[in-house]
Amino acid sequence: MARSDNLVKAIQLWGKNKEELKSELERLKGNLVTLRTQKVAGSASFKFAQIHDVRKSIARVSTIINANHRYQLRLYCQKKKYLPLDLRPKQTCATRRRLTKEEASRVTERQRKRQIHFPKRTYAMKA
């Protein structure tokens, strides 16, 4: 097997549909199995770099499949009230629990009256 046969570029994968990506993934996994059996058998024409290339290509294809799936899921959940947990923004626990800007800026009726009747005084200072 040639090195270029096992090496898959991500740019080539974005245009493919789901079935083509699945078949590409199966082909690469089959290549990996044959390469590993060659390694165990100790054939003379074996190259370690090919296993590396196939593993990285499998990772690329899986990444594209997952990215497409997440994109479709985002489109599906766009009009819904809640997003699935894995599509929500990843933040620290503290920032997720923090008040929103609207909640933080809300003022009670009593505080609003105080601000109106007793505004913060401003003084002109000599320079």
Side-chain angles (χ1 to χ4, degrees), residues 10-110:
I11 195 83
Q12 301 165 347
L13 299 172
W14 283 109
K16 295 186 177 183
N17 62 9
K18 189 175 181 180
E19 290 77 26
E20 291 171 341
L21 288 171
K22 293 268 186 190
S23 65
E24 181 74 20
L25 189 63
E26 292 304 315
R27 183 187 69 81
L28 287 168
K29 285 184 177 181
N31 285 355
L32 186 61
V33 168
T34 57
L35 285 171
R36 285 189 170 152
T37 53
Q38 285 178 3
K39 179 183 174 186
V40 171
S43 65
S45 64
F46 177 73
K47 293 188 177 88
F48 284 103
Q50 287 182 350
I51 288 182
H52 178 268
D53 291 344
V54 173
R55 286 179 63 237
K56 297 305 171 189
S57 295
I58 288 172
R60 284 187 194 101
V61 173
S62 299
T63 301
I64 302 290
I65 290 171
N66 289 335
N68 287 341
H69 183 258
R70 288 170 63 88
Y71 177 72
Q72 293 298 325
L73 199 57
R74 275 190 197 281
L75 291 179
Y76 174 73
C77 296
Q78 207 168 21
K79 306 272 190 212
K80 307 254 187 229
K81 186 174 181 182
Y82 297 112
L83 270 178
L85 291 176
D86 60 336
L87 295 181
R88 293 181 193 174
K90 311 291 187 272
Q91 299 168 333
T92 62
C93 190
T95 55
R96 286 195 307 269
R97 305 280 187 275
R98 190 183 301 156
L99 292 175
T100 62
K101 291 191 177 187
E102 292 80 25
E103 291 169 342
S105 65
R106 290 179 78 189
V107 179
T108 62
E109 187 66 22
R110 180 178 175 155

